[in-house]
Amino acid sequence: MRWVKKVAFWLLLAVIAVYTLFPFYWAIVSSLKTGSALFEVSPWPKEPAWSNYSAVFTAQPFGQNIFNSVIVATAVVVLSLVLGLTASFALARIEFRGRKLLLVSVLAVSMFPQIAVLSGMFELVRWLGVYNKLPALIVSNLILTLPFTVWVLTTFMRELPKELEEAAIVDGATPWITVSRVFLPLMGPAMATTGLLAFIAAWNEFLFALTFTQSDSVRTVPVAIALFSGGSAFETPWGLIMAASVIVTVPLVVLVLIFQRKIISGLTAGAVKG
Amino acid sequence: MTRPTTPTAGAATGATELPPSALVRERTRAAWLFLTPTLVAMALVAGWPLARTFWFAFSDANLTDMAAAQFVGLASLQSVLEDPDWWTTVWTTFRFALVSVSLETVLGLIIALALNAKFPGRGMLRAAVLVPWAIPTVVSARMWAWMFNDIYGVINAMFLSVGLISEPLAWTAEPELSLLAVVAVDVWKTTPFMALLILAALQMLPGDIYEAAKIDGAGPIRVFFQVTLPLLKGPLMVAVIFRMLDALRVFDIFFVLTGGSTDTMPMAGYSRQRMFEYQEIGVGSASAALLFVIIALFTTVYMVVGRVKLGGEA
Amino acid sequence: MKKVLAGLVAVVALATPGLARAEKLVIACGSVGKEADLCKQGAEAWAKKAGHTVELMSVPQDAGQQLAQFQQLLAAGSSDVDVIRIDVVWPGLMANHFVDLKPYFPDDVLSQHFEPIVKNNTVNGKLIAIPWFTDAGLLYYRTDLLEKHGQKPPTTWQELAASAKAVLDAEKKAGNSKLVGFVFQGKAYEGLTCNALEWIDSFKGGTIVDQSGQVTVNNPKAVEAITFFAGLVGNVVPKGVLNYQEEEARNAFQAGNAVFMRNWPYAWSLANSKDSPVAGKVAVMALPKGGPDGKSTGTLGGWQLGVSKYSKNEKLAAELVKYLTSAEEQKRRAIEGSFNPTIKSLYKDADLLKANPFMGNLYETFVNAVPRPTITGAKYNQVSTEFRNSVYSTLSGKGKAADNLKKVETKLKSLGKDGKW
């Protein structure tokens, strides 16, 4: 009966693989179809329409949208890491009154529903004069990335050996030197992981982008894809939408596959190790 | 791991050369200095906007002229609580959250157990499992919207060809079906996250218990229910509540996949509709504040159940 | 070297005082296929003549979402858009954000347009937008299919349902499984408000809220109308229609998969374009009556062009609006895209009538189109949403028309106490 178990197991694996990969595969297939071919359900188009991919960039400023997403995500990541690094040192390595409360607050902020800060944020963006400009997104996305960056970096910071710090103190190092010279080099992998997770969160962000940007030239990728319209006369441009989706997804998938282990350790650091 | 430190706030960290109080004072000062930029940033992007939203919740602010807002006490909140549409969205959100998280947990468990076993190609399967998580939510929603299209969608085509249904279903149109569609997308996107969390927990389980179970002749099913599951309870609860919090905040998937009808709207969608389609910032903020309170309650549960370690003791 | 160049540029600039700076204007007009193209062509033609540049801002397809976007943009006081295309029901909602265009449009120009629309666009004495094109709901049908199965164009909705069923049954027997009877805009958005208003008015059930502000939506005729259409869903009307906007309905009809369609006039030129499978096989007529005692009607649609108060180039923007709403441009748009002009004299133009014969014989429909209850002023959006949600619930099987309309009546009455909006 052992072979039945084996077959069942491999069947399960196959089902898992199909389940996770099918929509992505279907998006690729659809992106290569155009016109009436879209209305047929076939596993691979008879004549792959690579033109969809170039049409994506001419139908609307998709290249600009990708660029905007890159700028916003990068800026957010840099800011979060810089702020998070120093904050996590304080929270992880120094005992002081109010530390517990601060940690709880940081965790609490990461639970805020975006909609709960939307009206206040709208006012803030307007006051700063950055409505319909990228800085609006950079500022607002911090609420998404800063808390968990601080949280995860704190978790990693805690793991660093006490002895290093003690040696530095003995040598007369100020806390700043301890952070920048002793710990920073060791936090490399942790920063990479957190940076990656923050990048993905900022890249994905939708509600703020939907509310604070209007012009095509300022839009980021998620909003551009959600509002993709203006197709040619006849059909809703599903082929183009799928092509745009694939364009955006492939680099992310590649990124995630390369950094699998880091991502997994980052995701679990916050939750499981607590 | 760090040497256990004495709990009193003024304890020295083990250095013997410098007077403890000066060092501690310097370090405490440094700690606050280091924290200031972050605290300022969080006050700016989280604290202030939240406070403003609560202020608006007690006002009659309108988008056409936000400066003219007047304090109206609980009136805006009352309109929300008396609005049957609000309760519909609450019900929709909770149903979505419960069904989604249950499915994700079960599927995540199955996938984690599968990935825990050793087999050739395990790395590749794990990579495949990460793919849904890597795709931006909005993009996933559009991909699935296309698959769920009533005339040209592949899901209807497949179901029709195997005889599961006799005519194409309008997945994104009918309220009941569209909830299923939204759940399907969310489950597809988030199961990898659950699976990975559970996998990490599984891999931390001590091996000797399994050895003992094997010696006792326990079959794999018994082992799972009587050994694995009890040990996983802790991390599982943490993961479930964490996901519930996320699910209650949902907005993107519903927006992209379904229409503007209140039958298929989550709580966040209701708030946005009031604020930006009806220009009623006051009422919209009141509903957003309510959502915040609900999430805050759940967060407290999360922290108690998860017994989140804050002190840093190993 | 740089300093020399800078100096040269300064000298040239000073020496040519007559050279006006080329400004950039941004216009937000339709994003749906043909309309976007026509807008772009018109705007660019003006830009070339005037020596400036015009950029198009894309907007969501759904009018309700467009409104939300514009509300945010204008509430933020953004100068990122100069000219905005606004729906016929928005002037009451957005009046404070627009420039009074009366100084730029002398009476002899304004009187060329349909008075009711100009009046619609005037809020508290301020002319906030110029009519650009007008719209009314129409019934499209497949002449070939009706002829093949011996059906006549329907004069009542009941006849339409019977004809559709007859054609469907016959065609399904012959193996055509994709065909459906009737498609319209059934998604819960502004388009459904338009469709449902037509249903109710065609049964002589009033207009949701009447001219004096009284809520009239809950009456026996209205209930009859909504019940009738709810009964069609699932047989001659496919359930998927509950997610259709204009383009989805048009796609189904133009692909040859629907016998009847309710849509705006713009679909005419597209249905007859050279790569349309149904070119030459469609006809258009006024919407049917709600039974022998009903009336033929169509919801008044149409869009106007306004200038944002926050624009940095108010005068130039007004010029752009003048060009786009001129007789010449309106005629071009009518011939190429079936966009109904708002200039009365064009309805006698031979070229226009050749391309769109229905603009001649359906003239009365356009002139007498039933307007949506904008008497509700700033609350219009909410009124429309509550109304269409109750219709949507009924169509999707959640509750009977009588109950849903009663509920919405209570709600609307609480919004507009004693007819005061």
Side-chain angles (χ1 to χ4, degrees):
Chain A
M1 285 299 278
R2 275 201 61 199
W3 65 268
V4 171
K5 269 211 273 190
K6 259 211 151 161
V7 166
F9 183 66
W10 280 95
L11 203 60
L12 175 67
L13 294 184
V15 166
I16 293 175
V18 167
Y19 174 67
T20 49
L21 293 176
F22 182 77
F24 186 48
Y25 149 77
W26 190 246
I28 296 181
V29 166
S30 305
S31 70
L32 292 173
K33 292 184 183 169
T34 184
S36 49
L38 270 172
F39 308 151
E40 297 161 10
V41 178
S42 52
W44 192 257
K46 292 191 199 71
E47 300 151 9
W50 298 100
S51 59
N52 273 346
Y53 283 88
S54 47
V56 165
F57 290 98
T58 49
Q60 49 183 50
F62 201 59
Q64 180 71 38
N65 298 140
I66 295 181
F67 189 57
N68 291 338
S69 274
V70 169
I71 293 184
V72 170
T74 311
V76 169
V77 165
V78 166
L79 276 173
S80 302
L81 285 178
V82 166
L83 292 172
L85 186 65
T86 49
S88 63
F89 176 74
L91 289 169
R93 322 270 331 173
I94 303 180
E95 288 250 3
F96 59 93
R97 251 208 335 238
R99 180 167 80 160
K100 275 207 172 106
L101 185 63
L102 277 177
L103 274 168
V104 170
S105 319
V106 167
L107 188 62
V109 171
S110 71
M111 299 300 174
F112 277 20
Q114 276 181 279
I115 196 85
V117 296
L118 194 61
S119 46
M121 194 73 87
F122 181 76
E123 218 194 7
L124 181 69
V125 160
R126 217 174 45 156
W127 180 74
L128 286 172
V130 291
Y131 184 81
N132 204 25
K133 297 187 178 43
L134 289 182
L137 295 183
I138 297 177
V139 166
S140 53
N141 279 3
L142 281 178
I143 194 185
L144 292 178
T145 55
L146 194 53
F148 90 76
T149 301
V150 170
W151 185 257
V152 174
L153 284 182
T154 305
T155 315
F156 279 107
M157 262 289 182
R158 274 197 214 134
E159 314 272 316
L160 295 179
K162 204 83 187 104
E163 293 73 29
L164 278 174
E165 197 177 353
E166 288 173 358
I169 296 176
V170 165
D171 284 347
T174 61
W176 171 248
I177 303 236
T178 315
V179 171
S180 55
R181 300 272 180 83
V182 179
F183 283 165
L184 181 54
L186 294 174
M187 289 291 282
M191 307 248 289
T193 305
T194 329
L196 204 55
L197 291 174
F199 189 86
I200 294 181
W203 186 272
N204 241 328
E205 199 286 317
F206 183 63
L207 183 57
F208 290 148
L210 182 67
T211 313
F212 301 143
T213 60
Q214 296 293 328
S215 314
D216 292 348
S217 52
V218 189
R219 287 213 167 117
T220 52
V221 166
V223 177
I225 290 197
L227 301 181
F228 212 104
S229 65
S232 55
F234 200 135
E235 68 263 18
T236 326
W238 281 110
L240 289 182
I241 297 175
M242 290 302 123
S245 303
V246 171
I247 290 174
V248 164
T249 308
V250 165
L252 276 176
V253 168
V254 165
L255 210 69
V256 165
L257 292 182
I258 296 179
F259 293 105
Q260 276 189 63
R261 291 186 186 278
K262 286 202 166 25
I263 291 178
I264 293 174
S265 75
L267 282 176
T268 56
V272 175
K273 289 187 199 155
Chain B
M1 295 265 30
T2 54
R3 219 182 289 150
T5 53
T6 43
T8 54
T13 49
T16 46
E17 306 290 299
L18 300 156
S21 53
L23 175 67
V24 163
R25 262 188 287 125
E26 184 193 357
R27 281 170 70 77
T28 309
R29 216 182 21 231
W32 283 103
L33 213 64
F34 281 6
L35 277 170
T36 308
T38 304
L39 290 178
V40 166
M42 298 236 268
L44 184 71
V45 302
W48 172 252
L50 185 70
R52 281 308 272 170
T53 300
F54 269 84
W55 156 242
F56 283 133
F58 294 116
S59 78
D60 63 352
N62 195 293
L63 194 60
T64 42
D65 190 359
M66 273 163 87
Q70 303 276 352
F71 181 74
V72 293
L74 295 173
S76 295
L77 194 62
Q78 209 179 351
S79 338
V80 174
L81 292 174
E82 287 173 358
D83 188 355
D85 288 338
W86 162 251
W87 292 107
T88 311
T89 60
V90 173
W91 181 227
T92 305
T93 314
F94 270 91
R95 262 194 313 168
F96 163 76
L98 283 167
V99 175
S100 236
V101 177
S102 314
L103 278 175
E104 280 156 18
T105 310
V106 169
L107 287 179
L109 202 53
I110 295 176
I111 296 181
L113 287 170
L115 285 176
N116 201 23
K118 289 191 191 358
F119 57 86
R122 181 165 86 155
M124 283 206 306
L125 189 64
R126 199 178 57 183
V129 163
L130 265 181
V131 167
W133 180 82
I135 303 181
T137 316
V138 170
V139 176
S140 307
R142 278 228 112 166
M143 288 187 341
W144 278 84
W146 172 236
M147 297 199 323
F148 276 126
N149 188 296
D150 55 329
I151 306 183
Y152 311 123
V154 66
I155 292 186
N156 270 345
M158 290 198 297
F159 283 9
L160 276 170
S161 63
V162 297
L164 253 166
I165 54 178
S166 55
E167 48 166 38
L169 292 177
W171 294 97
T172 51
E174 290 186 60
E176 287 310 312
L177 284 180
S178 61
L179 188 63
L180 276 177
V182 171
V183 166
V185 179
D186 191 63
V187 166
W188 183 77
K189 173 143 178 65
T190 329
T191 302
F193 178 71
M194 286 298 260
L196 290 174
L197 280 183
I198 299 176
L199 183 62
L202 275 176
Q203 285 171 341
M204 291 204 316
L205 293 180
D208 33 354
I209 300 195
Y210 288 100
E211 294 294 322
K214 228 190 207 167
I215 295 176
D216 283 347
I221 310 235
R222 265 191 66 194
V223 168
F224 175 68
F225 279 102
Q226 296 191 346
V227 179
T228 317
L229 210 48
L231 285 173
L232 275 183
K233 230 180 22 195
L236 208 58
M237 280 313 294
V238 168
V240 164
I241 297 181
F242 189 74
R243 271 299 308 150
M244 274 293 285
L245 285 171
D246 253 356
L248 290 173
R249 306 189 267 184
V250 70
F251 176 79
D252 306 5
I253 306 184
F254 276 91
F255 184 85
V256 174
L257 213 58
T258 66
S261 162
T262 25
D263 290 336
T264 55
M265 205 182 253
M267 293 191 273
Y270 177 88
S271 301
R272 182 181 178 268
Q273 185 187 51
R274 294 239 96 147
M275 286 199 269
F276 294 106
E277 287 183 33
Y278 298 170
Q279 298 99 55
E280 287 178 350
I281 297 282
V283 174
S285 300
S287 59
L290 269 178
L291 177 61
F292 177 80
V293 166
I294 294 175
I295 303 262
L297 280 169
F298 266 85
T299 306
T300 324
V301 173
Y302 169 52
M303 301 220 274
V304 165
V305 169
R307 267 171 267 126
V308 176
K309 299 186 184 64
L310 301 169
E313 288 85 359
Chain C
M1 185 58 195
K2 262 207 212 155
K3 284 215 176 107
V4 174
L5 275 175
L8 273 176
V9 170
V11 167
V12 170
L14 283 173
T16 52
L19 215 66
R21 255 180 52 204
E23 301 288 349
K24 184 176 93 149
L25 290 184
V26 177
I27 178 172
C29 46
S31 288
V32 177
K34 197 69 191 275
E35 199 186 342
D37 290 337
L38 285 174
C39 176
K40 191 152 180 262
Q41 289 156 6
E44 282 175 358
W46 174 84
K48 218 194 233 159
K49 256 184 20 184
H52 300 286
T53 52
V54 182
E55 196 183 282
L56 259 65
M57 173 186 271
S58 75
V59 295
Q61 211 179 346
D62 182 326
Q65 288 302 322
Q66 281 181 39
L67 180 63
Q69 301 273 62
F70 289 140
Q71 292 284 25
Q72 293 164 40
L73 193 69
L74 294 167
S78 167
S79 60
D80 289 339
V81 69
D82 301 291
V83 177
I84 303 185
R85 183 191 76 139
I86 68 177
D87 199 351
V88 70
V89 285
W90 294 354
L93 299 168
M94 303 169 90
N96 341 352
H97 297 298
F98 285 88
V99 163
D100 185 354
L101 289 174
K102 271 228 199 74
Y104 300 99
F105 287 83
D107 280 336
D108 55 336
V109 174
L110 267 185
S111 60
Q112 289 176 2
H113 297 268
F114 285 122
E115 286 98 55
I117 309 182
V118 174
K119 195 148 156 269
N120 178 68
N121 296 353
T122 309
V123 180
N124 293 336
K126 202 166 128 183
L127 178 66
I128 68 159
I130 306 294
W132 199 19
F133 64 95
T134 186
D135 251 345
L138 299 172
L139 183 72
Y140 289 74
Y141 62 94
R142 291 279 301 279
T143 48
D144 58 325
L145 285 178
L146 287 190
E147 217 179 283
K148 182 167 157 199
H149 299 283
Q151 299 291 325
K152 285 219 298 281
T155 50
T156 65
W157 286 112
Q158 291 82 350
E159 276 176 32
L160 183 147
S163 288
K165 191 152 188 351
V167 172
L168 262 188
D169 287 341
E171 287 284 320
K172 280 213 156 74
K173 250 201 231 144
N176 183 351
S177 61
K178 278 215 173 111
L179 192 67
V180 301
F182 176 47
V183 294
F184 55 88
Q185 292 76 52
K187 189 174 175 185
Y189 77 121
E190 186 66 16
L192 180 56
T193 306
C194 296
N195 276 257
L197 176 62
E198 282 161 356
W199 304 340
I200 292 184
D201 195 40
S202 72
F203 276 72
K204 290 223 178 106
T207 59
I208 309 168
V209 175
D210 70 14
Q211 303 278 40
S212 61
Q214 296 299 330
V215 177
T216 60
V217 69
N218 185 20
N219 65 72
K221 286 283 172 195
V223 173
E224 190 189 329
I226 306 295
T227 310
F228 175 76
F229 281 90
L232 294 182
V233 175
N235 44 73
V236 298
V237 172
K239 287 217 174 113
V241 165
L242 292 178
N243 213 17
Y244 280 9
Q245 295 188 43
E246 283 84 354
E247 281 293 275
E248 285 80 4
R250 184 181 67 80
N251 284 349
F253 184 76
Q254 200 164 317
N257 293 332
V259 183
F260 292 102
M261 166 176 78
R262 179 274 179 205
N263 215 326
W264 307 99
Y266 87 100
W268 173 257
S269 66
L270 289 166
N272 283 312
S273 59
K274 30 183 204 348
D275 50 349
S276 158
V278 298
K281 300 194 229 168
V282 304
V284 73
M285 58 183 271
L287 291 169
K289 305 192 280 195
D293 300 325
K295 67 191 252 238
S296 176
T297 181
T299 298
L300 178 67
W303 293 74
Q304 349 289 320
L305 285 177
V307 174
S308 154
K309 193 165 85 175
Y310 314 102
S311 160
K312 294 213 167 86
N313 288 299
E314 187 184 305
K315 199 151 158 288
L316 282 181
E319 302 276 312
L320 176 58
V321 168
K322 205 178 235 177
Y323 177 83
L324 289 174
T325 54
S326 65
E328 200 182 296
E329 180 66 7
Q330 287 203 10
K331 178 172 162 177
R332 184 183 76 91
R333 290 168 54 89
I335 294 180
E336 290 184 34
S338 312
F339 288 102
N340 276 52
T342 56
I343 293 181
K344 298 178 275 203
S345 54
L346 282 176
Y347 282 86
K348 302 201 177 56
D349 183 292
D351 300 324
L352 186 142
L353 291 175
K354 188 148 152 250
N356 304 289
F358 68 87
M359 289 192 190
N361 50 36
L362 292 182
Y363 184 71
E364 291 308 315
T365 310
F366 293 112
V367 169
N368 295 326
V370 57
R372 282 161 277 172
T374 47
I375 183 87
T376 54
K379 299 218 173 88
Y380 172 73
N381 205 2
Q382 200 166 351
V383 168
S384 174
T385 306
E386 299 290 350
F387 171 66
R388 66 179 177 247
N389 280 352
S390 72
V391 172
Y392 186 83
S393 296
T394 318
L395 291 178
S396 55
K398 270 205 172 135
K400 289 209 158 49
D403 300 323
N404 287 335
L405 285 184
K406 190 151 193 293
K407 278 193 211 144
V408 82
E409 176 190 50
T410 317
K411 217 177 236 168
L412 292 184
K413 281 205 169 126
S414 74
L415 283 176
K417 302 186 177 39
D418 296 326
K420 292 209 186 0
W421 297 87

